[in-house]
Amino acid sequence: MSNTPTTHDHHLPYAEDDLGEVDGASFSQSAAPDGRSVRVTGTCPRCHGSTGTEFRRGNPGTGTKGLFDRLSGRSGGTARSEPEPEPLHGEVHFCECGHGHPSIPAEVRFVGCGASWRIAP
C-alpha cells in the first residue's frame, strides 16, 4: 500500500518543481466542443489536486510555431505534412489546481503548487 495522499494537499508550499516524466494513468485528453482545442485533465502528481489545461490546435509548444508561415504561405513552397503532436504526451504540463498554495508568488502564470511534468507515453 502506498503512502501517497489521495486528496488535494492544500498545505503543500508552492515550489517550482520539475517532476520529469510521470505516469499518465490519471490523465486524459478530449476534444473541446468547438474542435479547435484539446483539454488535458488529471491529478497533479505533486499536490494531488485536480488540474486541467486547454491547448489550442495549431499552437504546439509555447507559441504559434509554424502557424504564421502556413497562414502567410511562407512555407518555402512546400506544405508541412508533419502531424501535430498530441498535447497529452507532447507538452509540458503545469499544476493548475487553482489553489493558492502557501508561499505562492503574486506573479505566477499558473495558480497551483508550482509543479511541472511531462506525461510518459
Side-chain angles (χ1 to χ4, degrees), residues 91-107:
E91 297 285 346
V92 173
H93 299 275
F94 297 89
C95 178
E96 293 187 61
C97 68
H99 178 70
H101 284 265
S103 304
I104 189 170
E107 69 280 352

Side-chain angles (χ1 to χ4, degrees), residues 75-96:
S75 61
T78 61
R80 288 185 174 204
S81 61
E82 299 172 18
E84 193 174 301
E86 286 300 323
L88 185 64
H89 301 294
E91 297 285 346
V92 173
H93 299 275
F94 297 89
C95 178
E96 293 187 61

Side-chain angles (χ1 to χ4, degrees), residues 28-83:
S28 63
Q29 77 177 21
S30 58
D34 67 4
R36 295 181 183 175
S37 58
V38 174
R39 180 134 179 93
V40 175
T41 57
T43 302
C44 172
R46 182 168 181 265
C47 74
H48 307 283
S50 179
T51 185
T53 305
E54 195 166 296
F55 296 92
R56 299 287 294 171
R57 289 263 185 215
N59 296 329
T62 59
T64 57
K65 183 178 171 183
L67 181 62
F68 179 74
D69 289 342
R70 286 182 290 206
L71 293 175
S72 66
R74 292 192 213 173
S75 61
T78 61
R80 288 185 174 204
S81 61
E82 299 172 18

